[in-house]
Amino acid sequence: MPGRARALAVLSLCLLNVFVIAAGAAVVKLTPDRRLTPQPPSVAFRDPVRAPASAALPAADPADGRPPNASVLAGRLSALIGGPRAKMNAVVIDVATRRPLFEWRADRPATPASTTKLVTSVAALASVGPAHRITTQVVQGAGGGIVLVGGGDPTLTALPARPDAGHPPYASLSDLARQTATALKTSGIGRVRVDYDTSAYQGPRIAAGWKPNYVPDGEVAPVTALAVDEGRVAPSDPSKKTRVSDPAASAAKQFARLLSRYGVSAKAGRSTVAQKGAVRLGAVQSPPMSALVEHLLTDSDNDVAEAVARQVAMKLGLPATFADAAQAVQRVLAQMGITQGVSVNDGSGLSTRNRITPIALARLVSIAAGEENPELRSVITGMPIAGFSGTLSPPRYTGAASRAGAGMVRAKTGTLAGVSTLAGLAYDADGGLLAFAFMAGDGKGPVDPGKLDQLAAAIAACGCG
């Protein structure tokens, strides 16, 4: 099949969540001194993958999808890595067997940057589930007030809905104001004070390891259980990243203005904690967790990632702090068999103190790709497609050195000063499905994300059977 047609065919399979599960193969461990250490071969048979009935695609041929020869693959990747002095940690594993085919410092922790979002997403889907939604509500308060209660929904918006938005409808602050105004007027109330409750979250609003410029530069808002449009000063202008200093107070002011539009005179009040059992006046909900995960992975949204991590803490009955969310995430991963190689301080990967091994990332991707874990599917559908979407949109995977990966690679990117990472899935030239993680840099010097694209493209181009 011609290269372009093959890329589009595989891209269609990716979008339909149809994954070829490959047979096992010999493992070659490549040590930094460039020695190849073959391991005993292992053969695993697979059942054909069932596509959705509406897809009208044939089942995978059991003879297809054999994994590459590990020695040949290692030779190609090691040449690109560039020798033992290269600041690179890497692994490639067979999705079907989860056996490594290539290892280069694969068990050494490195700074993951935004590939941390893979960890956050897997833990959230495995704990709260893909159908979970986050509620923002308004309840009756004391002394003539009402209380806007944040549940941690990072998509709550004051912007009008867009039919072409490409995502399920976000929770609307205007809709919540309309509900509330209707309830108040029905009770004969025409004037209120809007207090606000952010008690769903506790602890600092900035994580350990965040650089001082992250919030001022708009990389992330101060983390709070109540924010509108991620606390952006100009949410309708994507070129402006500046955030408000107090997202919750700003949300209360916006809500008061909307109530006034709906016929109830309102002014912003103070921070409080709503009484248990208080009468509900209105409520809106976020898109399901599956949609939140897809968005945070495709667009690498830091605010959504931090909110999703806190949902894991809440599910496990822990305080919704940075530290407890990190603990909750690691507890969920341990229940899935990932007991080593993950140490995080936040959900987004902005923390320079996070450490994850390539082998842990690749195993998580393999678990998410497996048929036995359908609740994790949006981890796969959320990862950008090389050369097509999200943080892997052109110009990535359009140059001669990486073009072979276009449409064949689906991966999460990660970038911090002096660090570049890439972890995801690739189809090789023989139809085998492989998981990989490449982690470059030590935070002290320049790194080239293009090198990671070349490595992933080398997997896709490998007809190494």
Side-chain angles (χ1 to χ4, degrees):
M1 184 183 296
R4 180 65 175 172
R6 184 170 73 93
L8 292 175
V10 174
L11 174 61
S12 297
L13 293 179
C14 287
L15 294 174
L16 289 167
N17 304 328
V18 179
F19 298 97
V20 177
I21 305 300
V27 178
V28 172
K29 181 177 290 187
L30 182 62
T31 59
D33 61 1
R34 303 180 68 84
R35 289 181 290 109
L36 299 177
T37 307
Q39 306 295 319
S42 172
V43 178
F45 296 97
R46 57 164 172 82
D47 294 323
V49 175
R50 294 195 182 101
S54 61
L57 292 172
D61 185 342
D64 288 344
R66 65 185 185 277
N69 180 290
S71 296
V72 177
L73 179 65
R76 295 191 178 192
L77 297 181
S78 60
L80 287 170
I81 286 175
R85 293 189 177 182
K87 296 174 181 178
M88 177 77 71
N89 299 26
V91 71
V92 179
I93 68 177
D94 173 28
V95 167
T97 64
R98 296 176 194 154
R99 291 175 63 89
L101 299 170
F102 171 79
E103 295 183 274
W104 181 273
R105 305 185 182 109
D107 60 352
R108 297 189 188 180
T111 303
S114 277
T115 52
T116 302
K117 293 182 174 73
L118 289 170
V119 172
T120 303
S121 298
V122 168
L125 292 167
S127 57
V128 306
H132 176 72
R133 296 175 185 264
I134 306 170
T135 300
T136 306
Q137 62 180 330
V138 177
V139 300
Q140 191 69 55
I146 60 174
V147 185
L148 177 60
V149 184
D153 179 7
T155 67
L156 183 64
T157 181
L159 297 175
R162 288 180 24 236
D164 62 343
H167 56 72
Y170 288 159
S172 167
L173 192 69
S174 180
D175 184 26
L176 183 59
R178 178 186 54 76
Q179 294 178 40
T180 303
T182 298
L184 290 170
K185 287 188 287 187
T186 299
S187 299
I189 299 173
R191 180 183 299 274
V192 293
R193 182 187 70 251
V194 179
D195 296 331
Y196 55 94
D197 181 350
T198 61
S199 62
Y201 288 4
Q202 296 88 47
R205 298 195 297 173
I206 297 174
W210 282 13
K211 293 185 177 180
N213 64 298
Y214 286 163
V215 171
D217 290 352
E219 296 297 332
V220 66
V223 178
T224 173
L226 177 62
V228 176
D229 292 308
E230 297 183 337
R232 298 179 186 276
V233 171
S236 60
D237 185 349
S239 68
K240 296 180 180 179
K241 300 173 66 177
T242 308
R243 313 300 182 97
V244 299
S245 59
D246 190 340
S250 176
K253 291 178 182 178
Q254 292 182 70
F255 190 72
R257 287 195 294 268
L258 287 169
L259 278 179
S260 297
R261 290 183 189 175
Y262 285 112
V264 175
S265 179
K267 64 177 182 179
R270 57 186 176 81
S271 176
T272 188
V273 176
Q275 293 183 349
K276 291 184 179 180
V279 175
R280 177 184 278 188
L281 303 174
V284 291
Q285 290 189 310
S286 73
M289 181 59 67
S290 57
L292 296 181
V293 163
E294 285 187 332
H295 168 71
L296 77 88
L297 291 175
T298 299
D299 294 337
S300 202
D301 191 307
N302 296 318
D303 300 272
V304 176
E306 295 302 341
V308 165
R310 277 167 170 71
Q311 294 300 307
V312 183
M314 293 179 191
K315 179 66 176 181
L316 270 60
L318 298 174
T321 66
F322 280 107
D324 288 290
Q327 180 186 342
V329 164
Q330 292 177 206
R331 279 172 52 180
V332 173
L333 297 188
Q335 294 169 1
M336 303 173 69
I338 306 294
T339 58
Q340 295 181 335
V342 177
S343 176
V344 295
N345 290 273
D346 66 7
S348 62
L350 288 174
S351 177
T352 56
R353 299 185 185 182
N354 291 353
R355 295 293 183 271
I356 304 177
T357 63
I359 191 65
L361 282 174
R363 284 175 176 162
L364 279 175
V365 170
S366 292
I367 290 171
E371 284 191 294
E372 66 275 18
N373 298 291
E375 73 279 5
L376 304 180
R377 188 62 66 216
S378 53
V379 170
I380 305 304
T381 58
M383 287 191 292
I385 301 169
F388 288 89
S389 64
T391 55
L392 290 183
S393 294
R396 295 188 77 160
Y397 291 90
T398 57
S402 61
R403 193 175 298 134
M408 304 297 163
V409 171
R410 194 156 203 165
K412 179 69 194 79
T413 57
T415 304
L416 289 175
V419 172
S420 186
T421 59
L422 189 70
L425 295 169
Y427 281 95
D428 70 12
D430 293 323
L433 183 61
L434 308 177
F436 64 85
F438 303 124
M439 310 178 77
D442 59 4
K444 299 179 181 179
V447 288
D448 178 16
K451 174 63 69 71
L452 307 186
D453 293 348
Q454 291 176 37
L455 288 165
I459 301 173
C462 191
C464 311

